[in-house]
Amino acid sequence: MRALPVRRIATTVLCASLLLGTAGPVVAAESDSPQGSAQEAARAPVPEANKLLAQVKTLGDAGGVLTPVTDLLTAVLKADGGQLPAADATKLAAPVKDAITKAAATAPKAPETSVAPEAPALPQTPALPKALPDEDKAAAEPKDDALKALQTAVDTLLKSATGGDVTKVAGAVPPVLTGLVNVVAATLLGSGLPAPDLAGLSALPKAPALS
């Protein structure tokens, strides 16, 4: 009577051993499966993520300037006679100035030249003439120039939109639009963003060389 339970116990132990022996390789195989490799790849960072994030931020900065300026233009063009109450003009001007200031702070600057050691004083010579305006403009940072020009155009528009002369408003709007286009173009040219590949699109002009 006792032989039957012993036999059953031995059979149960044998089955358990076989199950345990096959379970190990199965677990290892799952870790080496294509699904496991895909999970590991999903946890890895995107190649050149920092470079791509910098390009995304550049576009975001440009958009930050576009939105408040276009809001101002829309308000002026929809107003009767292009005239805004002083309070409305001030309210619309504040985000424009903030956006331009922020974009100018993030614009790349030309590298500073190292200062040479002091040399013995030389006899005074006649002062050299100042650089021509075109040379100054070519040596300046294009995006910084575009932002300054845009702010000047916006100031002129605000003055016209609160001065009571409709004809001045009509003449002040196009420079603001041109200023926006210049900001976008300068941002794209100096940001390392990929070149446009739209069929039939003319090539963007090259940025002026910095002296």
Side-chain angles (χ1 to χ4, degrees):
M1 295 297 294
R2 293 181 180 178
L4 184 57
V6 171
R7 185 178 301 172
R8 288 179 180 177
I9 294 173
T11 303
T12 304
V13 171
L14 178 60
C15 292
S17 300
L18 292 174
L19 289 174
L20 291 175
T22 57
V26 171
V27 174
E30 288 179 355
S31 63
D32 295 335
S33 66
Q35 182 178 2
S37 301
Q39 292 175 350
E40 291 294 331
R43 287 193 290 267
V46 177
E48 298 187 347
N50 291 335
K51 179 181 178 181
L52 296 174
L53 283 173
Q55 295 179 359
V56 172
K57 185 179 183 302
T58 298
L59 291 176
D61 291 342
V65 175
L66 289 173
T67 299
V69 175
T70 53
D71 287 346
L72 171 62
L73 287 169
T74 301
V76 171
L77 293 173
K78 287 186 176 181
D80 292 337
Q83 298 300 295
L84 296 174
D88 292 349
T90 301
K91 184 178 180 180
L92 290 166
V96 172
K97 185 175 182 179
D98 290 344
I100 291 177
T101 301
K102 181 180 178 181
T106 59
K109 305 297 180 183
E112 297 181 358
T113 56
S114 58
V115 179
E118 294 184 0
L122 298 175
Q124 294 183 354
T125 56
L128 295 175
K130 293 183 179 180
L132 296 176
D134 290 342
E135 294 176 357
D136 289 341
K137 185 175 181 180
E141 173 60 40
K143 184 177 178 181
D144 191 53
D145 281 353
L147 290 168
K148 290 178 180 178
L150 176 60
Q151 182 63 69
T152 300
V154 167
D155 292 341
T156 302
L157 175 62
L158 288 168
K159 185 176 180 181
S160 302
T162 55
D165 191 341
V166 179
T167 59
K168 289 184 178 180
V169 173
V173 169
V176 176
L177 291 172
T178 301
L180 281 177
V181 174
N182 289 338
V183 168
V184 173
T187 299
L188 296 178
L189 289 173
S191 63
L193 287 165
D197 60 356
L198 183 64
L201 185 66
S202 58
L204 291 174
K206 293 183 179 180
L210 300 180
S211 60

